[in-house]
Amino acid sequence: MPSLYEIALTLVPGVGAVTARTLLENVGDAESIFKSSFAELTAIPGVGPKTAESIRSKDCLAQAEKELAFVEKFKIKTLFYTSEEYPWRLRNCYDAPILLYYKGNAELNGSRVISVVGTRSATAYGRELTEKLIDDLASYDVLVISGLAYGIDGIAHKACLKHQIPTVGVVGHGLDRIYPAQHRSLAEKMLACGGILTEFPSGTKPDRENFPKRNRIVAGLADATIIVEAAKNGGALITAELANSYDRDVFAFPGRVNDQFSSGCNHLVKTNRANLITEAKDIAYLMGWETKDAGKLKPQLELSLNLAPEEEKIVAVLKNQDALSIDEIFSLTQISPGKLAMHLLSLEMAGVLTALPGKRYKTVG
């Protein structure tokens, strides 16, 4: 059940995400904030007299009552910063919204969440890349986040619906409308296999300044952000920069050097702000993922692959082990470091081994 006070906290003039968190840390909960005295509020670091007066006036409570009626009428979930349902990845971001409005059924705290973004003016190249990427991601049990915009965003959402991959659109307005209007039908279909999410209350228009705020949610919700096709001055690059600031992985597809719609992706790779990828397998490799069918595939791989004698030796020492470091594998196999690194990479790319943090390896399955 959404709280009137939680909604009201987001409507107080001058209280953004950072100040709201400071208030919660010092007072405890949203209701207690509104019941605090002027002196108690101004004693909190970062809360001045003007903000304290705005809270004490309780003018926002009347507005919150209307919003509460709206979310109850249309069965919209409110995810407050301190609730268990609030996306934990986003909570770890310093500027995470205090409250989210969500309509849908996708699990926002799933084990694998990625964001796919790009230019609104997608070329045939960008469309093909996006559709192939989503098709290949179907075996990795992921949730796909995007911004429901024209171009790459819309293509990604549609491809997810086609392949029955849950997908969530983050919008820069209230849930009383859909922007762009042409994506209303798409948004309705996404409610059955994903959802629509925003930090903005009903009545909020899709104003220009809302989209950078929207982009931080797109980046913050995910383990990694994938830039498919983007110009240097596009919103996708803002999302990439935000993902980097949150210490999340960023991946980008390269394009021709003279293509303006790929100039942003090429720039991200050139300046080490993104890892270059050419297919979904690159993401899985860099993220250390196994497919849903990895365990089933293992016996087939072992039967069908013609392993070199040294590769067979590596697999033999790793069998029935949780994981071994590269130094431990060297000690047990006595294969020279150069050859060992080459064999480990070859076995990993073949799907026989999985790389773990700390240069540790284990067999798949």
Side-chain angles (χ1 to χ4, degrees):
M1 183 71 178
S3 162
L4 175 70
Y5 294 98
E6 291 171 352
I7 294 174
L9 182 59
T10 69
L11 304 175
V12 178
V15 174
V18 175
T19 302
R21 268 201 303 280
T22 300
L23 285 162
L24 288 168
E25 289 167 1
N26 282 271
V27 179
D29 58 63
E31 184 175 355
S32 298
I33 291 171
F34 285 95
K35 293 183 177 179
S36 298
S37 68
F38 181 84
E40 288 170 332
L41 290 169
T42 52
I44 297 172
V47 179
K50 188 174 181 180
T51 300
E53 286 287 1
S54 295
I55 295 171
R56 292 286 298 160
S57 73
K58 298 182 174 61
D59 289 344
C60 51
L61 286 173
Q63 186 181 348
E65 286 179 355
K66 295 178 182 178
E67 190 62 22
L68 184 59
F70 173 80
V71 300
E72 290 177 345
K73 179 180 179 180
F74 292 99
K75 297 180 173 59
I76 295 167
K77 300 175 188 175
T78 57
L79 308 177
F80 195 64
Y81 183 77
T82 56
S83 74
E84 289 185 5
E85 286 186 296
Y86 191 95
W88 61 264
R89 293 172 178 85
L90 186 60
R91 185 189 285 122
N92 290 335
C93 302
Y94 68 92
D95 56 353
I98 289 299
L99 183 70
L100 296 168
Y101 298 96
Y102 178 48
K103 192 161 187 180
N105 58 17
E107 175 53 68
L108 300 176
N109 285 314
S111 59
R112 295 171 184 169
V113 184
I114 62 162
S115 293
V116 177
V117 296
T119 178
R120 293 174 184 241
S121 305
T123 66
Y125 170 73
R127 176 181 290 276
E128 183 180 342
L129 281 179
T130 305
E131 292 175 346
K132 181 67 165 60
L133 170 69
I134 299 300
D135 183 9
D136 291 344
L137 284 172
S139 63
Y140 291 99
D141 194 20
V142 300
L143 168 64
V144 175
I145 308 292
S146 197
L148 201 67
Y150 288 123
I152 298 300
D153 290 21
I155 295 166
H157 289 310
K158 290 173 184 175
C160 285
L161 293 177
K162 178 181 177 181
H163 297 287
Q164 297 183 315
I165 298 172
T167 182
V168 171
V170 184
V171 295
H173 50 75
L175 294 184
D176 56 329
R177 68 193 74 206
I178 289 295
Y179 176 84
Q182 288 88 336
H183 281 175
R184 180 176 296 279
S185 175
L186 172 61
E188 289 173 355
K189 292 174 183 175
M190 287 167 60
L191 296 178
C193 187
I196 306 297
L197 183 77
T198 187
E199 68 175 305
F200 298 105
S202 62
T204 305
K205 297 179 181 179
D207 295 327
R208 182 183 296 271
E209 62 269 19
N210 293 347
F211 291 98
K213 295 178 183 178
R214 182 275 306 272
N215 291 347
R216 86 187 194 285
I217 300 176
V218 172
L221 282 171
D223 300 305
T225 294
I226 302 164
I227 317 297
V228 177
E229 189 177 39
K232 266 192 177 181
N233 58 350
L237 262 67
I238 296 174
T239 308
E241 288 299 320
L242 287 163
N244 274 310
S245 75
Y246 299 148
D247 199 26
R248 306 292 167 83
D249 287 289
V250 178
F251 304 107
F253 283 95
R256 292 175 298 183
V257 295
N258 60 347
D259 188 338
Q260 64 171 339
F261 294 115
S262 290
S263 61
C265 291
N266 293 341
H267 177 73
L268 287 171
V269 172
K270 184 171 68 174
T271 56
N272 296 316
R273 289 180 170 88
N275 292 296
L276 186 151
I277 57 169
T278 59
E279 58 182 343
K281 286 182 180 179
D282 296 335
I283 301 166
Y285 168 71
L286 292 165
M287 297 297 292
W289 292 348
E290 294 176 359
T291 67
K292 291 183 290 185
D293 300 323
K296 298 176 185 177
L297 291 172
K298 184 188 174 187
Q300 296 176 357
L301 284 168
E302 289 182 339
L303 289 171
S304 62
L305 286 176
N306 294 317
L307 301 181
E310 289 185 335
E311 290 175 335
E312 290 180 347
K313 195 173 184 181
I314 293 167
V315 173
V317 300
L318 281 168
K319 275 186 177 179
N320 304 318
Q321 298 279 354
D322 288 336
L324 291 176
S325 70
I326 193 168
D327 291 334
E328 290 170 324
I329 298 170
F330 168 72
S331 177
L332 292 168
T333 63
Q334 291 300 302
I335 299 171
S336 67
K339 283 188 176 181
L340 180 59
M342 179 184 68
H343 289 319
L344 288 170
L345 178 60
S346 176
L347 290 167
E348 188 180 351
M349 295 303 289
V352 178
L353 302 184
T354 296
L356 302 172
K359 294 185 178 180
R360 294 171 65 81
Y361 294 84
K362 70 173 184 177
T363 54
V364 171

